[in-house]
Amino acid sequence: MTDSISLSPLQQRLDAPAREISLAELAASWFQQTVEVQIPGYGAMAGHRKLLPFIRRAWGTELMKGASNEALNEQPCPWLPPCALDVFFREQLRRGKHGIPKPYVLAADRQGQDLAVKLGVFGLACDWLPAVVERLVEALRTGVSWNILGRGLFLPAFEIGQVRTGTIEGLEGGDVPQAVELAFITPVDASGKHDILDEPHSLVGRLARRIDGLARWQDARIDADWSALSHHWRGLDYWTQELAPDSTARWSQRQRSNLVNAALSGRMTISGDLAPVWPLIQIGQLCHVGRGAVTGQGRYVAEWLE
């Protein structure tokens, strides 16, 4: 446990959560809210690789307008409660080599001719949802260069359509398949020392590490024998022939440039005794997997196979 004296109240809450629960209990109690903003006539933008990183930067700029001086300087916000910039854009805790993941993911879907921009917010961070909705709408309206991103496309005059908020309270348990196909809607990051094509079990490891961190935003610490679980998922059967090399780009504020990372697109099948890792696969559909999840990367749907 980190020295609590030097931590902000939010960091203390994340460092010492109220519950210690199993992976299955985490899935059963998972809480998140999703804001969906509809933009009429912009459906062709849904698959644009630069769209979600652009939206994230614009949203962060909007959050800065109502932030404390400390948060603007990447320091803990002293306000009670802290400003939204502190919650969504500053790393709260670092546990070993990895920081606790930020409590949200972005996604974009085509709905007929319209674009649906979605922001999923996890657990404790849902307390800041009103600020999230207002700043996201303003970012879409004034902070995104739609004419540049949509160059070559016919786009109508920009307007905000419906704005909806949905809530997920717990994921259903029940039966577990003998085989599941992870169909990636967006590329999954493939950088790092473990090659997913050579060591496909490393994808489950990345998913486990991410969910272990995000559990803190659910006011929980996972009680699991990670060594035994790792041994188990290494022994599952993986089919990666439908994964193809790809690449993703992300903006580095520190280096002021786009960084290109290796990625994979397509489908991956996992079979065997999936029960111990099924909660990870379920939750992963909501929180994505791998680097760049906040900007929509690593998004998948788990499809049952006979």
Side-chain angles (χ1 to χ4, degrees), residues 134-145:
E134 292 181 2
R135 295 301 93 202
L136 177 62
V137 169
E138 191 61 22
L140 294 172
R141 180 182 285 123
T142 64
V144 178
S145 301

Side-chain angles (χ1 to χ4, degrees), residues 27 48 59 113 262 283 295 297:
H48 198 302
W59 179 49
Q113 296 300 312
I283 297 171
T295 51
Q297 296 175 28

Side-chain angles (χ1 to χ4, degrees), residues 7 10 19 63 117 147 174 223 273:
L7 299 180
L10 176 59
R19 304 179 296 160
L63 291 179
V117 176
N147 59 326
D223 179 15
D273 179 11

Side-chain angles (χ1 to χ4, degrees), residues 268-281:
M268 172 180 180
T269 300
I270 311 174
S271 59
D273 179 11
L274 299 181
V277 300
W278 186 240
L280 294 174
I281 294 172

Side-chain angles (χ1 to χ4, degrees), residues 53 194 200 234:
H194 295 289
R234 286 170 179 266

Side-chain angles (χ1 to χ4, degrees), residues 176-248:
V176 178
Q178 293 183 337
V180 65
E181 184 175 71
L182 306 187
F184 285 96
I185 301 170
T186 58
V188 58
D189 180 79
S191 61
K193 66 178 182 179
H194 295 289
D195 187 322
I196 294 175
L197 293 177
D198 291 336
E199 301 177 272
H201 59 80
S202 65
L203 182 72
V204 182
R206 296 181 190 200
L207 184 59
R209 183 167 60 243
R210 176 165 172 76
I211 291 172
D212 183 41
L214 285 175
R216 299 305 181 102
W217 290 101
Q218 302 289 336
D219 206 11
R221 179 187 290 106
I222 296 177
D223 179 15
D225 185 342
W226 290 112
S227 178
L229 268 177
S230 175
H231 180 76
H232 182 84
W233 70 59
R234 286 170 179 266
L236 297 173
D237 295 318
Y238 298 87
W239 177 266
T240 60
Q241 278 76 353
E242 292 187 59
L243 284 179
D246 203 333
S247 64
T248 60

Side-chain angles (χ1 to χ4, degrees), residues 1-209:
M1 185 176 295
T2 312
D3 181 8
S4 61
I5 297 178
S6 61
L7 299 180
S8 69
L10 176 59
Q11 290 173 314
Q12 291 179 35
R13 181 78 175 272
L14 297 172
D15 191 47
R19 304 179 296 160
E20 187 165 307
I21 58 179
S22 68
L23 277 172
E25 290 169 329
L26 179 67
S29 63
W30 186 267
F31 183 85
Q32 80 173 62
Q33 292 183 291
T34 299
V35 181
E36 179 179 316
V37 182
Q38 182 190 56
I39 305 175
Y42 278 57
M45 295 293 295
H48 198 302
R49 292 288 181 90
K50 293 183 179 180
L51 175 63
L52 293 178
F54 212 123
I55 290 174
R56 180 176 183 264
R57 290 200 298 273
W59 179 49
T61 299
E62 285 299 319
L63 291 179
M64 291 173 70
K65 295 177 181 179
S68 66
N69 290 332
E70 289 82 357
L72 290 172
N73 289 293
E74 300 183 0
Q75 299 299 316
C77 179
W79 299 349
L80 294 176
C83 61
L85 181 70
D86 181 277
V87 175
F88 293 100
F89 276 79
R90 196 177 68 81
E91 183 180 86
Q92 296 299 329
L93 291 174
R94 179 157 287 273
R95 303 164 63 208
K97 296 187 298 181
H98 305 285
I100 289 182
K102 294 180 176 63
Y104 68 94
V105 289
L106 279 164
D109 290 325
R110 181 167 189 159
Q111 297 178 349
Q113 296 300 312
D114 302 335
L115 173 69
V117 176
K118 301 176 181 179
L119 178 65
V121 179
F122 307 133
L124 301 173
C126 292
D127 288 348
W128 284 262
L129 200 67
V132 166
V133 175
E134 292 181 2
R135 295 301 93 202
L136 177 62
V137 169
E138 191 61 22
L140 294 172
R141 180 182 285 123
T142 64
V144 178
S145 301
W146 295 102
N147 59 326
I148 295 176
L149 289 173
R151 185 178 290 123
L153 298 174
F154 174 75
L155 297 175
F158 180 88
E159 64 174 317
I160 296 293
Q162 293 290 325
V163 179
R164 306 181 182 91
T165 302
T167 301
I168 294 175
E169 295 185 78
L171 302 176
E172 294 184 6
D175 296 335
V176 178
Q178 293 183 337
V180 65
E181 184 175 71
L182 306 187
F184 285 96
I185 301 170
T186 58
V188 58
D189 180 79
S191 61
K193 66 178 182 179
H194 295 289
D195 187 322
I196 294 175
L197 293 177
D198 291 336
E199 301 177 272
H201 59 80
S202 65
L203 182 72
V204 182
R206 296 181 190 200
L207 184 59
R209 183 167 60 243

